[in-house]
Amino acid sequence: MRIGLPALFPRPLLAALVGGALLVGVQQQILERRPPRLLSLEPQVHSSGPAALDLRFSRPMERASLQARSRLEPPLAHRWLGSATNLRLLLQPGQQLRGPLSLELAGADRRGRSLAPQRWHWDPRPLLLVVAEVEGGEQLQIQHHDGRWQPIGPVWRRIPNVEPLADGSGVMALAADHQGKLQLWKRSLRPRSLVRQPANLAPPQLGPLQALQPNDLTFAHLSSNRRGDLLIQLGRQAPGATVTRWIEPDGRQHDLKLPVAGPIQLLPQGEGMVVPTPDGLELRSLRGALAGTTDRPQVLPGSRMLAAFCPASGQALLVRHWPDFRRSLERVQPGSAPIRLWLGSEAVMAASCNPNGDRAWMLLNRWQAAVANELVRLDRSGRIDARLDLGPWEPEPGMPMVYDPVGDQLLLTLRRDPRQPARPALVDGRTMALRILPKPVRQALWLPGS
């Protein structure tokens, strides 16, 4: 027996089904005719060039069309990477940025439909963040690109530790009040380095100042990554009260049980971390440490200290201490044996590298030599190709040397006279020219310009 559609479905239901199918078809036609849209545009700090932008579109784009029709001012060398809806605009290595950029974005998707042209203004340069010596104590300050200094926190008696968050969303500080009590604080920041209107291009807007931990601390070591994770090693006044705490980007907190023999550093990207142990350095994951997994981590035995990350290449620089009191500088990548770049009897005060890892710098101290403090640059094979005698300037003990790929420059904290405050110092990565800034500080760091 033959049964028709009206017999299977009541007429009102059949009409609804047909109407729904027609509506879906009409919607699909409308979506097919719509031009592509830019859904998100985000700065990417850790790239192989001076800076990069990550773009996400509503439709798969024709990359060659974006390359041909978009314009960058000043016209710096760049290229487009990626495919479909996710692409990256990458500035080519070997360039120095001295000011903001303007991007006129245009192109077509794979159907040939054009993106509505739009202009963005972008300043990827990091800001100088210092612990400034002021009347009554110390204060966090940032320097605008026009040279002006702006306080971003109150005056504390002392600020022994500072960590700018790697995603540019804030600054962490361990600060002592005038009673000497230590407390952990966070100053939230809202970056304004990527805007539509040039008048809105400005230093980050200050958010709330929050106390994160009670004021019974004896020390705190801080580390962050580009994802927004924060790792805090806290020491309390109570015996055996040391805590390793992981704070996720959404605010969730987890206490990790790790065999720690020193400060832990998060990898710039992903959720890995470098953990010092009595047997050497271990590469572990945050999730694995939280789950208590027994998987054997990668171990680098010996007395080694992490000096710097070369984030675009996934490499790191390590300083190794040998039993005969010599030091060596090593380049290492997860899963590979370390490559020795340098070996000598001098003390390695600090080291840094560019994102690709093809250039490295070491700050050496020769306490018995005529040239007491020297900055040297090494190529990828470890050959020293440039030297800078620091003369009367001495590195502030324990302070890092941080590389800025946007301006191709190093930031140090140097002191000329033990009775006078230290100063921020900039070294050109190409020429090795030294510039001392007239600002009394205890520490100088880069605040990412994301």
Side-chain angles (χ1 to χ4, degrees), residues 143-370:
Q143 186 182 38
H144 296 195
H145 293 308
D146 61 6
R148 291 180 294 124
W149 289 94
Q150 176 189 2
I152 63 169
V155 176
W156 282 297
R157 178 182 175 185
R158 187 169 54 92
I159 307 176
N161 200 347
V162 177
E163 173 73 9
L165 299 184
D167 62 355
S169 65
V171 176
M172 305 290 297
L174 179 68
D177 61 20
H178 289 279
Q179 283 73 45
K181 295 181 179 180
L182 287 169
Q183 192 162 8
L184 191 62
W185 297 84
K186 178 184 178 181
R187 166 64 82 186
S188 297
L189 300 172
R190 187 172 69 85
R192 294 181 289 182
S193 58
L194 182 62
V195 296
R196 294 296 299 271
Q197 301 297 325
N200 295 334
L201 204 60
Q205 184 177 17
L206 299 188
L209 179 66
Q210 303 167 286
L212 295 188
Q213 299 293 335
N215 57 3
D216 62 344
L217 302 177
T218 56
F219 72 88
H221 175 75
L222 313 167
S223 181
S224 68
N225 62 20
R226 181 62 183 164
R227 295 171 3 124
D229 295 303
L230 179 66
L231 193 74
I232 309 174
Q233 292 170 266
L234 298 169
R236 301 190 185 280
Q237 293 179 357
T242 300
V243 175
T244 301
R245 182 161 296 156
W246 169 28
I247 303 179
E248 296 191 67
D250 60 8
R252 288 181 295 172
Q253 299 189 17
H254 315 279
D255 287 350
L256 307 178
K257 296 186 181 300
L258 291 168
V260 178
I264 300 173
Q265 295 289 340
L266 295 180
L267 300 183
Q269 292 179 308
E271 58 174 38
M273 55 182 170
V274 179
V275 182
T277 70
D279 298 324
L281 295 178
E282 294 185 356
L283 182 60
R284 292 177 172 263
S285 74
L286 288 166
R287 296 287 176 190
L290 180 61
T293 178
T294 57
D295 293 344
R296 183 172 178 82
Q298 180 183 347
V299 181
L300 283 175
S303 179
R304 288 180 166 95
M305 177 183 66
L306 176 65
F309 289 111
C310 320
S313 61
Q315 300 174 353
L317 291 182
L318 307 178
V319 177
R320 185 173 186 179
H321 299 259
W322 294 86
D324 60 1
F325 302 104
R326 292 182 301 169
R327 273 79 166 173
S328 62
L329 185 70
E330 301 174 338
R331 184 175 65 237
V332 65
Q333 192 165 9
S336 302
I339 298 173
R340 184 187 298 173
L341 298 177
W342 175 89
L343 176 67
S345 58
E346 298 89 340
V348 182
M349 308 292 289
S352 191
C353 53
N354 69 343
N356 284 333
D358 54 12
R359 284 187 298 164
W361 292 265
M362 289 190 306
L363 192 55
L364 301 177
N365 175 260
R366 302 182 183 91
W367 63 277
Q368 288 182 326

Side-chain angles (χ1 to χ4, degrees), residues 98-175:
R98 300 304 186 195
L101 304 173
S102 174
L103 171 64
E104 184 179 346
L105 185 63
D109 64 14
R110 292 177 181 175
R111 306 164 302 165
R113 299 194 180 277
S114 294
L115 175 76
Q118 49 190 278
R119 183 177 292 274
W120 290 85
H121 299 272
W122 174 36
D123 194 345
R125 295 174 295 170
L127 294 173
L128 185 56
L129 168 69
V130 303
V131 176
E133 295 200 5
V134 298
E135 184 177 356
E138 299 174 350
Q139 185 180 48
L140 291 175
Q141 296 183 6
I142 57 173
Q143 186 182 38
H144 296 195
H145 293 308
D146 61 6
R148 291 180 294 124
W149 289 94
Q150 176 189 2
I152 63 169
V155 176
W156 282 297
R157 178 182 175 185
R158 187 169 54 92
I159 307 176
N161 200 347
V162 177
E163 173 73 9
L165 299 184
D167 62 355
S169 65
V171 176
M172 305 290 297
L174 179 68

